[in-house]
Amino acid sequence: MPYLHQPEDLDNLLEGEPSYRADQLRDWLYRTSVLSSTDMTNLPAEVRSRLDPLWPFDVEAEQSADGGTTRKWLFRAPDGAAIEAVLMGYPRRATLCISSQAGCALGCTFCATGQFGFERHLEAGEIVAQVAYAQAFLRQIGMPGTPDHLTNVVFMGMGEPLANYDRVREAIRRMIEVMGMSARSITVSTVGIVPGIRRLTDEPWPVSLAVSLHAADDDLRSTIVPINRRYPLADLEEAAAGYFEKKRRRLSIEWTMMDGVNDTTDQATKLAAIASRLHAHVNLIALNPTPLTEETASSERAIDAFARELGRRGVNVTVRNTRGRNIDAACGQLRLLVGKPGLKPRV
Ligand code: SAH
Ligand code: SF4
């Protein structure tokens, strides 16, 4: 499983082979990703057979939606951990949403991943292999009307990336230093692990940062995002401001719209103040249903009114379209199909 090796350390895996073989392999793994080691045409069959299995997971299910422009993979690690990734194609963009953990320990009330609890951290190689797999898919199979390579990677699948800091850091390092992706094309989405934001501030890369806020005062936020009790809003805002000061990358604030919970004028007013101070862009997402969530999505009218209120106060705001709702690939739904063996692809 070569992705579980450090890219700089592939000579060890190919012991006994001339050293240029490691360079060739590094190219295949991280530059010209391919779905199968048999596609690594300049490597002798004997070397290729030593690379199997190529991926650190099996592809247990693959589904597509939105006319083939959304594709979800359920990968299964040998220990049974489920890893999900979703590829979303657009005319000039291909965005991959990746997982950083199997499950999540943070228990946000409205999130399917959180509701099922924490399984384990993903290794750096398991994170970066999701990216390489999607690259290989785009290059060798392709998606209608979509570039043949990834343009963006977002840590918005399962898990809290800053709760798995060192492995996520190493995955980001490989994407930038070995795969050649630009830091700004990578977005780390966090629910607000303040020490993690501070560490990320000290890294050399200006990756994009998204903060999942969902509520603009501590009383409300602590009820839907439990980690807010540990890292309250004032601390979170200070850490996010520090990131912006250092990187000069526009922050985004994610806000899942829940009927009667966080779609009030009062919340819009408080959110506008925070977003203005942080120079942040606000993304509004209607809540996607999950089995254990009591909250329901805000109505379209409520979302429009909320967006207008933010706009009136000078805040940049986007209402995000949901991709992949019918295949449970939308935000917060990634965990739904896991643990249902025998799932058949619906491609
Ligand atoms: N743990 C990180 C990244 C994964 S969650 C975080 O929370 O930011 C990715 C995004 O999906 C977050 O903004 C999260 O709040 C949002 N999300 C979770 N459950 C959702 C749901 N049921 N409907 C819509 N968005 C949801
Ligand atoms: Fe974890 Fe993010 Fe879901 Fe909260 S929203 S439970 S932090 S994955």
Side-chain angles (χ1 to χ4, degrees):
M1 291 191 271
Y3 284 103
L4 297 184
H5 287 250
Q6 284 280 8
E8 292 79 5
D9 207 25
L10 288 168
D11 304 79
N12 283 340
L13 184 71
L14 299 181
E15 220 189 306
E17 293 295 320
S19 65
Y20 65 86
R21 289 276 181 240
D23 293 332
Q24 290 175 322
L25 177 58
R26 212 168 4 254
D27 263 14
W28 286 118
L29 296 176
Y30 293 97
R31 290 278 178 175
T32 322
S33 303
V34 283
L35 289 167
S36 156
S37 58
T38 54
D39 301 328
M40 299 179 177
T41 45
N42 59 359
L43 295 182
E46 191 276 321
V47 172
R48 292 198 309 252
S49 69
R50 279 160 65 181
L51 303 175
D52 287 336
L54 176 60
W55 301 100
F57 38 61
D58 288 330
V59 183
E60 183 167 308
E62 182 180 50
Q63 295 177 301
S64 88
D66 304 318
T69 58
T70 300
R71 190 164 283 246
K72 176 172 105 159
W73 292 288
L74 170 57
F75 302 120
R76 184 76 70 180
D79 70 349
I83 304 169
E84 296 195 338
V86 182
L87 177 61
M88 291 157 286
Y90 308 86
R92 273 177 298 280
R93 250 176 334 125
T95 299
L96 182 70
C97 175
I98 58 172
S99 298
S100 55
Q101 299 178 313
C104 181
L106 299 181
C108 303
T109 55
F110 50 88
C111 170
T113 303
Q115 287 158 358
F116 285 85
F118 177 70
E119 226 171 310
R120 70 165 168 83
H121 294 301
L122 297 187
E123 296 300 329
E126 292 175 316
I127 298 170
V128 93
Q130 297 168 62
V131 179
Y133 191 90
Q135 287 283 29
F137 174 84
L138 283 172
R139 219 173 63 76
Q140 295 190 296
I141 296 171
M143 201 173 233
T146 300
D148 65 356
H149 60 278
L150 289 175
T151 60
N152 297 83
V153 171
V154 298
F155 280 89
M156 294 189 184
M158 288 201 284
E160 166 52 46
L162 298 184
N164 183 16
Y165 192 90
D166 291 334
R167 298 177 189 87
V168 165
R169 180 199 187 278
E170 171 59 14
I172 291 173
R173 184 195 73 79
R174 288 189 205 176
M175 286 181 228
I176 295 170
E177 292 183 358
V178 191
M179 295 179 124
M181 298 182 63
S182 79
R184 55 195 51 211
S185 70
I186 301 168
T187 299
V188 171
S189 176
T190 179
V191 74
I193 308 291
V194 167
I197 297 174
R198 298 221 166 95
R199 288 179 74 184
L200 198 62
T201 308
D202 292 333
E203 301 291 357
W205 314 295
V207 299
S208 302
L209 184 68
V211 177
S212 297
L213 210 62
H214 312 305
D217 63 58
D218 282 322
D219 282 349
L220 177 59
R221 194 163 193 266
S222 293
T223 63
I224 54 180
V225 177
I227 196 71
N228 189 71
R229 293 182 209 130
R230 176 114 65 101
Y231 305 115
L233 274 171
D235 295 359
L236 175 53
E237 187 178 330
E238 193 188 312
Y243 194 84
F244 178 77
E245 286 305 312
K246 173 95 181 284
K247 309 287 185 192
R248 292 282 147 189
R249 294 284 305 135
R250 191 182 67 178
L251 302 167
S252 1
I253 291 176
E254 308 294 306
W255 191 278
T256 299
M257 299 287 297
M258 294 169 244
D259 182 39
V261 177
N262 63 355
D263 57 0
T264 58
T265 316
D266 174 53
Q267 285 296 313
T269 311
K270 290 172 175 160
L271 168 59
I274 297 175
S276 302
R277 289 196 294 269
L278 289 175
H279 312 281
H281 181 103
V282 174
N283 284 316
L284 303 177
I285 313 135
L287 178 88
N288 288 311
T290 74
L292 302 174
T293 303
E294 286 168 21
E295 295 91 357
T296 51
S298 303
S299 67
E300 245 175 71
R301 262 185 64 200
I303 296 175
D304 284 348
F306 196 86
R308 266 201 313 278
E309 186 63 32
L310 292 175
R312 214 169 59 75
R313 292 167 185 276
V315 175
N316 267 313
V317 54
T318 309
V319 180
R320 262 221 239 135
N321 288 331
T322 295
R323 278 290 189 97
R325 199 184 285 245
N326 60 331
I327 55 166
D328 298 329
C331 291
Q333 298 187 313
L334 279 178
R335 192 56 200 255
L336 293 179
L337 294 173
V338 173
K340 291 186 189 165
L343 190 74
K344 289 285 183 306
R346 273 190 260 158
V347 182

